[in-house]
């Protein structure tokens, strides 16, 4: 056991670098995913059949194919003719994660908007609000509070999905854990990995709970800030470090 901790100490700088890469992928992927989710979620509600059809095709394409296949396509296929588009590895990881989880998020956005009570839609009509005003001033703030718990789940899944990026030469936390395993043993390296992924996931969950509490406060739905910590469920870490 002493040898394991000595090896851990020697590998600590590399592990920290791996955690930073994982956080960069998570943050970048999450930002892209929320943009894709809101954009596609709104397009999927349009009356225009072309716009709605485009949104449905993109959503089903990225939901219906493996994240790993998408990652390989962006990294290995795009540089080939006729695309001839070579992307940096980290950007490729962010792109694959953002599009994959953004497609799932689009259904969350669409469903949350549809869940806003009909009376709220009728009130915006009575107030003669434009389509844009109706959505962004009345409907979307209420839908946002509804969708945050589901988006939190997707964020944790996205964090765990970053574990596959080492397959395209990115040295993230999982890659560093694989190196540590060689110097120590399987139980020590991957046990440490579970703890690190769990800690990151729990912090993300706290942040999303705080965001949900703030959204509900703005709607006058009450709730206490201390509930952000005291009622935070433990994140589901099943499959941490595995390909999503």
């Amino acid at each position: 056991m002493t040898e394991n901790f000595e090896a851990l100490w020697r590998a600590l700088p590399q592990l920290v670098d791996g955690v930073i890469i994982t956080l960069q992928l998570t943050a970048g992927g999450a930002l892209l995913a929320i943009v894709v989710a809101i954009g596609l979620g709104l397009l999927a509600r349009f009356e225009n059949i072309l716009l709605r059809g485009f949104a449905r095709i993109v959503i089903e394409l990225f939901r219906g194919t493996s994240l790993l296949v998408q990652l390989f396509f962006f990294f290995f296929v795009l540089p080939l003719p006729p695309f001839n588009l070579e992307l940096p590895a980290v950007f490729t990881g962010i792109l694959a994660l953002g599009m994959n989880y953004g497609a799932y998020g689009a259904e969350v956005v669409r469903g949350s908007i549809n869940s806003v009570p009909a009376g709220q839609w009728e009130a915006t009509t009575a107030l003669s609000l434009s389509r844009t005003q109706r959505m962004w001033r009345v409907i979307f703030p209420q839908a946002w509070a509804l969708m945050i718990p589901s988006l939190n789940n997707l964020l944790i899944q996205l964090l765990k999905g970053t574990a596959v990026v080492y397959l395209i030469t990115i040295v993230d936390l999982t890659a560093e854990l694989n190196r540590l395993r060689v110097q120590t043993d399987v139980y020590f390296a991957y046990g440490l990995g579970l703890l690190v992924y769990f800690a990151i996931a729990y912090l993300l969950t706290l942040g999303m709970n705080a965001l949900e509490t703030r959204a509900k406060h703005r709607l006058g739905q009450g709730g206490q800030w201390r509930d952000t910590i005291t009622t935070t469920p433990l994140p589901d870490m099943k499959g941490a470090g595995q390909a999503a």
Side-chain angles (χ1 to χ4, degrees), residues 32-33 36 58 62 70 74 94-104:
L32 177 58
V36 170
V58 175
F62 282 95
Q70 294 164 20
F74 289 141
I94 290 174
L95 179 62
L97 290 166
M99 293 302 299
N100 184 274
Y101 290 98
Y104 285 98

Side-chain angles (χ1 to χ4, degrees), residues 173 177 187-200 237-241:
L173 176 58
L177 290 171
Y187 296 105
F188 184 84
Y190 293 134
L192 175 66
L194 283 175
L195 293 176
V196 174
Y197 274 107
F198 177 84
I200 296 173
M237 290 306 297
K238 181 180 180 181

Side-chain angles (χ1 to χ4, degrees), residues 25-37 94 98 155 158:
L25 290 165
T26 302
L31 288 175
L32 177 58
I34 193 64
V35 171
V36 170
I94 290 174
L155 178 60
L158 189 152

Side-chain angles (χ1 to χ4, degrees), residues 174-234:
T174 299
E176 294 294 353
L177 290 171
N178 286 333
R179 293 178 178 179
L180 181 63
R181 173 182 57 81
V182 176
Q183 304 172 34
T184 57
D185 58 64
V186 172
Y187 296 105
F188 184 84
Y190 293 134
L192 175 66
L194 283 175
L195 293 176
V196 174
Y197 274 107
F198 177 84
I200 296 173
Y202 192 72
L203 290 175
L204 291 176
T205 301
L206 288 178
M208 292 297 287
N209 279 8
L211 195 62
E212 180 184 3
T213 300
R214 181 175 182 272
K216 288 182 177 180
H217 267 287
R218 295 186 65 180
L219 296 175
Q221 295 181 5
Q224 300 296 325
W225 285 102
R226 64 174 177 269
D227 293 340
T228 298
I229 297 178
T230 58
T231 63
T232 298
L234 296 179

Side-chain angles (χ1 to χ4, degrees), residues 6-78:
E6 290 176 352
L8 173 61
W9 179 255
R10 292 193 300 269
L12 192 58
Q14 290 75 30
L15 286 171
V16 171
D17 290 340
V19 170
I20 291 174
I21 292 296
T22 294
L23 292 177
Q24 289 176 346
L25 290 165
T26 302
L31 288 175
L32 177 58
I34 193 64
V35 171
V36 170
I38 293 175
L40 292 178
L42 292 176
L43 282 179
R45 301 190 67 262
F46 270 43
E47 296 178 359
N48 186 303
I49 190 171
L50 293 179
L51 293 177
R52 190 171 70 248
F54 169 77
R56 293 309 317 171
I57 290 173
V58 175
I59 290 172
E60 297 306 328
L61 174 64
F62 282 95
R63 287 201 314 162
T65 55
S66 165
L67 171 61
L68 187 59
V69 173
Q70 294 164 20
L71 188 68
F72 283 177
F73 182 88
F74 289 141
F75 191 73
F76 294 113
V77 178
L78 287 186

